[in-house]
Amino acid sequence: MTIEYNEDYLMLSGIQHFRFCERQWALIHVEGQWNENRLTFEGRLIHERADDPFRVETLGERFVSRSVPVVSHRLKLYGVADVVEFIKSSEGGARIADREGLWTPYPIEYKHGQPKSDDCDLIQLCAQAMCLEEMLGVKVTEGAMYYYKIRRRLKIVFDSAVRAAVADAAERMRLSFLSGVTPKALYTKKCENCSLIDICLPKSARGDKAVEKYMEGIFER
Ligand code: SF4
């Protein structure tokens, strides 16, 4: 499957970075830096296993597509969904080429580790669902996250609050991208799990601020 998008569209996968830390997103997607740590490496291996575009499995009343290209012209986002299950439905589903009947898409995202306390993964999955809705003209009300550490699927419901959060993040990403300004570092606990900590140097950045203030004080005298 191929999709068309304009060159000013942003990568959907960036929405999880943006939600985690706007500076991290800007470093990766605006400045183009990427530093691989153990967490991102494990994540990539998992994606390599899940991403096989030629693999379509049929399991009775459902079939599974992998590495599905997705786009939303409303959100101006494009990307690839790890796995989309299509479930046969009597009404409300989409027509799919070479298949009889109607099919409701059910996106599944694979992640290393375990469920997080923030909503970054959920936002990314919901963005995929919103793309599929727009592309196929159907409602996608649910999907799932699969976490390798707990080896379990967790059902995710795409309610109006999470949809609004996706739309808000997509809009703010756009504005931030157009501004070209990388937000300043602010050290928090989550920095310890950030793949860019050695590039971002959030503790020294805070230190730099103190130096900056000190220097301003000298010149004001
Ligand atoms: S180290 Fe902290 S402030 Fe810097 S990009 Fe990562 S999460 Fe953001």
Side-chain angles (χ1 to χ4, degrees), residues 6-181:
N6 293 342
E7 57 186 24
D8 62 334
Y9 286 16
L10 296 174
M11 282 175 69
L12 185 151
S13 57
I15 205 164
Q16 61 174 320
H17 303 133
F18 190 83
R19 194 78 177 172
F20 177 71
C21 170
E22 295 187 15
R23 176 171 167 82
Q24 190 204 58
W25 172 81
L27 289 171
I28 296 169
H29 295 272
V30 181
E31 297 189 15
Q33 304 199 46
W34 180 255
N35 188 23
E36 188 161 71
N37 70 0
R38 192 182 56 82
L39 291 178
T40 55
F41 181 66
E42 283 178 1
R44 212 186 57 198
L45 285 180
I46 286 164
H47 277 259
E48 280 166 4
R49 262 179 270 148
D51 290 358
D52 179 355
F54 304 107
R55 214 165 136 198
V56 174
E57 297 160 20
T58 301
L59 313 151
E61 294 291 277
R62 62 183 65 203
F63 71 93
V64 178
S65 270
R66 291 167 193 272
S67 304
V68 180
V70 293
V71 66
S72 165
H73 301 293
R74 185 169 78 82
L75 298 170
K76 294 188 168 41
L77 295 176
Y78 73 97
V80 176
D82 279 351
V83 170
V84 182
E85 275 189 12
F86 288 87
I87 302 163
K88 200 157 197 178
S89 49
S90 49
E91 55 183 41
R95 295 212 174 274
I96 305 289
D98 302 329
R99 294 205 179 247
E100 294 271 309
L102 299 172
W103 301 86
T104 299
Y106 189 92
I108 305 166
E109 183 69 14
Y110 287 75
K111 295 285 181 192
H112 64 278
Q114 52 198 354
K116 304 183 185 89
S117 53
D118 60 44
D119 61 3
C120 304
D121 294 347
L122 194 153
I123 294 281
Q124 186 188 356
L125 186 70
C126 183
Q128 291 175 8
M130 290 165 79
C131 289
L132 289 165
E133 286 182 338
E134 200 179 309
M135 291 164 68
L136 299 172
V138 294
K139 200 88 190 143
V140 182
T141 55
E142 282 178 18
M145 299 297 312
Y146 183 93
Y147 291 95
Y148 274 80
K149 200 152 188 178
I150 59 167
R151 299 198 171 273
R152 221 157 34 92
R153 260 190 197 192
L154 299 181
K155 186 173 96 173
I156 308 291
V157 175
F158 306 126
D159 62 20
S160 56
V162 69
R163 286 168 184 273
V166 169
D168 177 65
E171 176 62 13
R172 288 195 302 112
M173 277 163 69
R174 168 149 310 282
L175 295 175
S176 180
F177 189 79
L178 292 175
S179 80
V181 176

Side-chain angles (χ1 to χ4, degrees), residues 17 20-28 182-203 205:
H17 303 133
F20 177 71
C21 170
E22 295 187 15
R23 176 171 167 82
Q24 190 204 58
W25 172 81
L27 289 171
I28 296 169
T182 300
K184 287 203 184 306
L186 177 66
Y187 180 79
T188 59
K189 220 174 144 196
K190 67 184 173 189
C191 296
E192 295 308 322
N193 284 329
C194 175
S195 57
L196 297 189
I197 189 164
D198 293 334
I199 290 173
C200 171
L201 300 172
K203 285 183 178 167

